Amino acid sequence: MFAVLVWFVRNWCNEFVFLMGLRDDELPGRHDKAIWAVVLLLLAPVGVWLFRSFRMARWPETQFVRVDYSQAMDNPGDEAARQPA
């Protein structure tokens, strides 16, 4: 039970910090930031889910790319030859 509460508080904090980090012009309406803050505060379990779905539709998470540097480290002289002068 405690783990679920910690998980929820962590997710709520992440969503609230994301909301507060947005500029007003990044949201479609005039009072959207205040409305979302009230929803997150008063309707906490449902509000987190609603804002998370709105956030994922509006600002999808970026995909991280893994870069393999092992090939460049095997032949360090070849890397210098490919660099423009």
Side-chain angles (χ1 to χ4, degrees):
M1 181 66 179
F2 182 70
V4 173
L5 182 63
V6 169
W7 174 79
F8 172 75
V9 169
R10 183 174 160 255
N11 283 335
W12 184 90
C13 287
N14 287 341
E15 298 302 326
F16 195 77
V17 167
F18 181 81
L19 175 65
M20 292 296 118
L22 293 174
R23 294 188 318 260
D24 288 336
D25 61 342
E26 292 176 326
L27 294 163
R30 184 174 179 182
H31 301 291
D32 280 354
K33 194 172 191 178
I35 291 169
W36 277 116
V38 168
V39 168
L40 282 173
L41 290 170
L42 296 181
L43 303 172
V46 176
V48 172
W49 177 73
L50 287 172
F51 183 72
R52 176 94 175 142
S53 59
F54 172 73
R55 173 184 169 183
M56 297 311 290
R58 186 128 174 114
W59 302 282
E61 291 183 4
T62 57
Q63 297 293 324
F64 293 103
V65 177
R66 183 171 183 205
V67 178
D68 186 17
Y69 291 107
S70 63
Q71 293 176 350
M73 295 304 202
D74 290 342
N75 300 319
D78 294 341
E79 186 66 30
R82 289 190 296 237
Q83 294 294 325

